[in-house]
Amino acid sequence: MEHLLNEQVKQLQISGIRQFFNMVRDYEDVVSLTIGQPDFQTPERVKSAAITSIEENKTAYTMNAGIPELRQAVAEDVEKYGLHYDADSEIIVTVGASEAIDISLRTILSPGDEVLLPSPVYPGYEPLIKMAGASPVHVDIAPYDFVLTKDAIESHITDRTKAVIMPYPSNPTGVSPSFGQLEEIARFMQNKEMFVIADEIYSELVYENPHTSLASFPGLKDKVVVINGVSKSFSMTGFRIGYVLAPDWMRQHMLKVHQYNVSCASSVSQHAALEALKNNQTEIERMRATYEKRRAFVLEKLKDIGLSFVEPDGAFYVFIQFPSAKSTFETAVGLVEKSGIALVPGSAFSEGGEGYMRLSYAYDLPTLEKGLERLRHYVEYHL
């Protein structure tokens, strides 16, 4: 009976990140720097808000778009990025940023459309594009210092291009376009009949320059869909709360897809997210400052080891170059087997990641130090 299943789904592969993570679990004494999972506990006040919502029986369905108080809190929070969205008509609370991406793509795309993706890129976009009947077009961004620039976009546009994914700060590289580069893209997009999906889930985790949203540029609000959430910034990955910002005329159609998909996000998680956005900016800054210290530590160690890398200015990843005659996946296996250190092979992030490894520094300093010493051992004796 398997032949009766959806061919698009049958052809999908489990994320290369998860494949490698699951494989590593079978080895003993391995320092894994693989998963982009904050190692902080969810703030106490956020956990208390979740418990209180249960005790107060706030456990029924909410409005499809999310509780009004949370949408209002989102609207107020994103004003710091120069974004102005109406809580009642331009915001949907979703089951994580993943669902926000899914409903955005399913609302925008039709069979035969094309979507431009920077390569390397987080592997969660391509399957959703394909399931919507569209085609992903990978744009090699290595020549552009790993940023999807106006020139990179322009050189890949066809009459079938419907959207561009702009996931910044980036997973896996940790880079973001400069203000000037975003300004160029904004001017270029003014007269184009295509959309940008700006995945800004790491917007709070920036170190060199403040985050700039493409949607903040004049005249682009109707063309840019903004994705964000509380998973990374507040260490709330399991609460599964994201949100999508879109103009009213688009949002009303997204809401239909969202409604028939999940009805609404978890009521308990929504109340927890409300508390997070209202009263925990100091927690965000504490976590961000800790990541910044870890970043400095990791980059200094990598330089000392003699490895080249893409200079990150956001998120909690470093993309490390591994020159080798072997494939990146084979090299990653060798790291585990010979030196007991696990990094994600860059090929998990499309062909553009071949020759690189992603290191996550969402781990405490002792773990990072131990892992980097094992990496040094591999470079000295096996590379």
Side-chain angles (χ1 to χ4, degrees):
M1 297 293 287
E2 187 177 353
H3 67 282
L4 298 178
L5 297 179
N6 184 313
E7 284 299 322
Q8 288 279 15
V9 174
K10 285 166 62 178
Q11 292 173 21
L12 296 180
Q13 301 293 320
I14 299 298
S15 160
I17 304 173
R18 281 290 167 182
Q19 287 184 39
F20 193 74
F21 177 75
N22 293 338
M23 186 198 76
V24 167
R25 291 188 304 182
D26 296 332
Y27 290 83
E28 295 182 1
D29 189 29
V30 172
V31 178
S32 178
L33 304 180
T34 57
I35 298 298
Q37 163 75 32
D39 66 321
F40 298 99
Q41 297 300 316
T42 301
E44 290 300 321
R45 293 177 62 165
V46 174
K47 291 190 286 187
S48 295
I51 293 168
T52 300
S53 72
I54 295 172
E55 293 173 339
E56 294 179 353
N57 297 312
K58 296 176 180 177
T59 55
Y61 291 124
T62 71
M63 297 176 67
N64 295 130
I67 60 174
E69 305 96 313
L70 178 54
R71 283 182 277 129
Q72 183 60 43
V74 168
E76 293 173 2
D77 187 62
V78 300
E79 286 182 359
K80 65 191 175 193
Y81 301 130
L83 302 178
H84 307 289
Y85 286 87
D86 182 77
D88 293 327
S89 62
E90 296 181 316
I91 298 173
I92 302 173
V93 178
T94 59
V95 182
S98 297
E99 195 228 340
I101 296 165
D102 184 38
I103 65 172
S104 300
L105 289 169
R106 284 201 278 165
T107 300
I108 289 171
L109 299 178
S110 299
D113 288 339
E114 293 178 347
V115 180
L116 303 188
L117 286 167
S119 179
V121 69
Y122 170 67
Y125 307 111
E126 182 171 336
L128 300 178
I129 293 167
K130 288 180 176 178
M131 285 193 287
S135 299
V137 176
H138 290 278
V139 179
D140 180 12
I141 55 173
Y144 304 93
D145 295 325
F146 290 90
V147 170
L148 190 59
T149 63
K150 186 271 290 185
D151 289 344
I153 293 170
E154 187 174 21
S155 65
H156 287 77
I157 287 178
T158 72
D159 57 3
R160 295 168 59 192
T161 305
K162 178 67 73 70
V164 180
I165 304 284
M166 293 284 293
Y168 295 107
S170 164
N171 173 10
T173 65
V175 305
S176 292
S178 67
F179 183 87
Q181 288 170 325
L182 287 172
E183 198 170 36
E184 273 196 335
I185 293 171
R187 285 198 298 266
F188 175 72
M189 289 293 297
Q190 291 287 347
N191 300 316
K192 294 290 182 293
E193 290 198 342
M194 51 190 286
F195 298 102
V196 175
I197 296 177
D199 184 353
E200 303 181 0
I201 192 65
Y202 293 100
S203 62
E204 295 286 353
L205 302 178
V206 292
Y207 311 111
E208 302 294 338
N209 300 297
H211 174 72
T212 300
S213 175
L214 191 62
S216 66
F217 288 88
L220 282 198
K221 187 173 179 179
D222 270 3
K223 296 184 177 183
V224 180
V225 176
V226 178
I227 309 293
N228 214 320
V230 298
S231 291
K232 308 295 184 178
S233 53
F234 291 100
S235 195
M236 293 176 65
T237 54
F239 285 80
R240 309 310 303 133
I241 293 293
Y243 56 82
V244 59
L245 311 175
D248 178 38
W249 62 266
M250 185 190 299
R251 183 261 199 187
Q252 59 186 281
H253 297 294
M254 284 185 184
L255 189 59
K256 293 182 288 187
V257 181
H258 169 72
Q259 173 192 343
Y260 290 119
N261 190 15
V262 298
S263 293
C264 62
S266 158
S267 60
V268 173
S269 294
Q270 288 189 59
H271 287 284
L274 174 61
E275 172 62 32
L277 289 174
K278 285 173 58 180
N279 298 306
N280 286 274
Q281 290 304 310
T282 56
E283 286 294 316
I284 283 185
E285 177 52 32
R286 179 180 69 85
M287 288 187 261
R288 192 205 65 79
T290 302
Y291 288 132
E292 187 169 19
K293 290 177 183 177
R294 294 174 181 177
R295 168 179 168 268
F297 174 80
V298 169
L299 298 189
E300 187 62 35
K301 287 288 186 181
L302 290 174
K303 290 174 183 175
D304 187 50
I305 293 169
L307 288 171
S308 299
F309 51 85
V310 181
E311 188 82 28
D313 56 14
F316 36 58
Y317 307 110
V318 186
F319 214 45
I320 307 167
Q321 190 169 18
F322 266 77
S324 173
K326 299 178 181 178
S327 73
T328 303
F329 189 88
E330 290 175 307
T331 303
V333 173
L335 277 164
V336 172
E337 293 179 340
K338 296 175 181 178
S339 297
I341 170 67
L343 307 177
V344 180
S347 54
F349 305 96
S350 77
E351 290 183 7
E354 187 61 49
Y356 290 81
M357 299 280 180
R358 190 195 74 176
L359 180 152
S360 169
Y361 52 89
Y363 296 87
D364 61 31
L365 281 175
T367 301
L368 291 170
E369 185 166 18
K370 186 176 181 180
L372 286 161
E373 280 307 307
R374 294 188 178 195
L375 181 59
R376 181 193 300 275
H377 174 272
Y378 182 85
V379 171
E380 290 180 353
Y381 294 100
H382 303 291
L383 190 62

